[in-house]
Amino acid sequence: GAGVSQSPRYKVAKRGQDVALRCDPISGHVSLFWYQQALGQGPEFLTYFQNEAQLDKSGLPSDRFFAERPEGSVSTLKIQRTQQEDSAVYLCASSLGTAAVNTEAFFGQGTRLTVV
Amino acid sequence: KQEVTQIPAALSVPEGENLVLNCSFTDSAIYNLQWFRQDPGKGLTSLLLIQSSQREQTSGRLNASLDKSSGRSTLYIAASQPGDSATYLCAVGLGNKLVFGAGTILRVKS
């Protein structure tokens, strides 16, 4: 596709519910990132994939958060037993290079998650 | 821990004015620095990417500079327009991730 695509755009979940957020990166991009953006703040790093390998998950806030990219393309961020503090915009980004931060990162429009 | 600070937090200017947005970071061991624009309810649009070996980048009315030794970057916007109204974020490339500032909310009044 022309850009990074995320779905759904909006998600309302009841507390305790599991959610799955999808990211379609730019075709051919090796690196994929997930970020969490709270209201009024800059995005914060969650996890990084190089192809199908999850090389860095240091930003995942708890073991309720899980991400995968099984075929090195589409990625899913799963949050189990959602809590109110999980409410945020979840942004996905991809970049062409394997030395990820040396190449430009392109972001999707994000998924706004609201936990009620 | 790398910290990125953006000043001012918000800025309101009349159309046509030139303006400067500031970004500072605490650890100079960065790979690059990227400026983004974010419109309400939207994702991030990349504006300029400066590699650590570079001093500045220009694109149209935008010019970004980087001084690694002092931990500073500026984004200069010439002849501002109402369409420039958005939140501007700077981010430093560090390891496998970008570390973002909280952003500057810019409003250009017509």
Side-chain angles (χ1 to χ4, degrees):
Chain A
V4 179
S5 178
Q6 293 186 245
S7 61
R9 288 290 316 280
Y10 304 93
K11 176 69 178 178
V12 178
K14 291 185 178 179
R15 202 175 85 169
Q17 186 179 355
D18 297 349
V19 298
L21 313 180
R22 177 187 170 105
C23 173
D24 284 85
I26 294 173
S27 179
H29 277 198
V30 168
S31 298
L32 185 145
F33 311 81
W34 284 97
Y35 287 83
Q36 180 190 58
Q37 186 175 24
L39 190 65
Q41 300 296 316
E44 292 197 358
F45 172 80
L46 293 176
T47 188
Y48 162 62
F49 289 86
Q50 182 176 306
N51 295 307
E52 69 277 5
Q54 188 175 20
L55 299 186
D56 188 342
K57 52 182 181 179
S58 62
L60 295 177
S62 78
D63 59 7
R64 296 185 295 104
F65 286 71
F66 172 76
E68 61 183 5
R69 194 186 184 197
E71 297 179 356
S73 179
V74 171
S75 177
T76 304
L77 176 67
K78 297 179 180 178
I79 309 173
Q80 297 177 325
R81 304 181 303 281
T82 52
Q83 303 294 317
Q84 283 193 317
E85 62 262 28
D86 300 335
S87 296
V89 175
Y90 291 85
L91 295 164
C92 176
S94 69
S95 65
L96 184 61
T98 54
V101 292
N102 286 332
T103 59
E104 190 174 4
F106 296 87
F107 280 76
Q109 290 192 309
T111 294
R112 180 177 296 277
L113 173 65
T114 303
V115 181
V116 297
Chain B
K1 179 186 173 185
Q2 177 73 268
E3 292 184 2
V4 180
T5 303
Q6 290 189 245
I7 294 173
L11 182 63
S12 182
V13 300
E15 182 178 4
E17 193 162 297
N18 302 326
L19 57 100
V20 175
L21 307 182
N22 297 290
C23 173
S24 62
F25 47 95
T26 54
D27 186 345
S28 62
I30 64 171
Y31 289 167
N32 57 29
L33 186 143
Q34 200 165 350
W35 281 93
F36 294 90
R37 167 186 175 139
Q38 186 171 33
D39 293 280
K42 303 283 182 65
L44 279 63
T45 301
S46 178
L47 298 173
L48 291 164
L49 169 68
I50 311 175
Q51 299 293 353
S52 61
S53 59
Q54 298 175 322
R55 299 281 295 182
E56 67 176 340
Q57 284 285 340
T58 297
S59 176
R61 294 183 293 108
L62 305 180
N63 175 275
S65 67
L66 174 63
D67 184 341
K68 269 185 58 176
S69 60
S70 67
R72 293 180 184 177
S73 176
T74 61
L75 178 66
Y76 176 82
I77 302 177
S80 58
Q81 303 171 357
D84 295 332
S85 298
T87 297
Y88 290 79
L89 294 157
C90 79
V92 296
L94 193 69
N96 292 320
K97 62 186 177 184
L98 293 171
V99 179
F100 284 83
T104 294
I105 301 171
L106 173 64
R107 180 185 171 210
V108 180
K109 298 171 289 187
S110 58

